[in-house]
């Protein structure tokens, strides 16, 4: 099934995906946030399917410029839920693909860090997963 995504839908998908990686990088502020962001973004750029095409577009994500992690989370977590909802309405398989893409990006981002994920990274991963599951 082909997706009929508006520009706003695409913006929501990009905000959700790149925002999730940004949240995880922010949660590793004391570690290597640049490595976390780089590895997570590479995973997103490697995504396939209709969502992969959206994430590969050279368009901006939504507002990812919060002054605090809380402000960033206020934009990103609802976008994650909204992205899954809009994909479920059109193609449940693509909604599952989106969840998988985010999961791979979070795993890649977490593995970029030396040692175990910090408690803040683990907590942020739970929050991101909860937002995906809220749909």
């Amino acid at each position: 099934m082909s997706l009929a995504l508006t520009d706003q839908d695409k913006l929501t998908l990009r905000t959700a995906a790149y925002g999730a990686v940004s949240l995880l990088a922010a949660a590793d502020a004391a570690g290597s946030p640049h490595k976390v962001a780089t590895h997570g973004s590479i995973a997103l750029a490697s995504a396939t399917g209709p969502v992969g095409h959206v994430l590969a577009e050279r368009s901006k994500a939504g507002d990812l410029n919060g002054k605090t992690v809380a402000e960033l989370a206020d934009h990103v977590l609802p976008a994650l839920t909204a992205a899954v909802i809009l994909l479920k309405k059109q193609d449940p398989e693509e909604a599952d693909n989106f969840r998988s893409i985010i999961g791979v990006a979070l795993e890649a981002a977490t593995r970029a860090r030396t040692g175990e994920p910090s408690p803040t990274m683990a907590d942020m991963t739970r929050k991101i997963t909860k937002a995906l599951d809220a749909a």
Side-chain angles (χ1 to χ4, degrees):
M1 180 179 195
S2 177
L3 295 178
L5 299 172
T6 66
D7 288 341
Q8 182 60 46
D9 293 342
K10 292 177 182 181
L11 180 65
T12 298
L13 292 175
R14 285 190 296 273
T15 300
Y18 286 98
V21 170
S22 295
L23 279 174
L24 205 56
D28 192 39
S32 299
H34 60 285
K35 286 184 181 179
V36 170
T38 299
H39 286 259
S41 295
I42 289 169
L44 293 176
S46 301
T48 60
V51 170
H53 288 284
V54 171
L55 297 179
E57 289 178 7
R58 298 216 180 255
S59 298
K60 290 181 135 184
D63 185 7
L64 299 178
N65 296 319
K67 292 181 182 178
T68 65
V69 176
E71 285 181 12
L72 180 59
D74 288 346
H75 296 289
V76 174
L77 297 176
L80 285 161
T81 303
V84 175
I85 289 169
L86 77 88
L87 290 170
K88 271 186 179 179
K89 286 180 183 177
Q90 292 192 37
D91 186 346
E93 285 184 25
E94 199 55 30
D96 289 341
N97 184 41
F98 179 76
R99 288 169 167 278
S100 176
I101 289 167
I102 299 301
V104 169
L106 295 179
E107 186 175 338
T110 301
R111 287 187 179 190
R113 187 178 196 284
T114 304
E116 301 250 340
S118 68
T120 53
M121 288 182 75
D123 184 53
M124 189 60 71
T125 299
R126 281 190 293 274
K127 289 176 183 177
I128 291 167
T129 302
K130 185 177 177 183
L132 290 168
D133 292 343

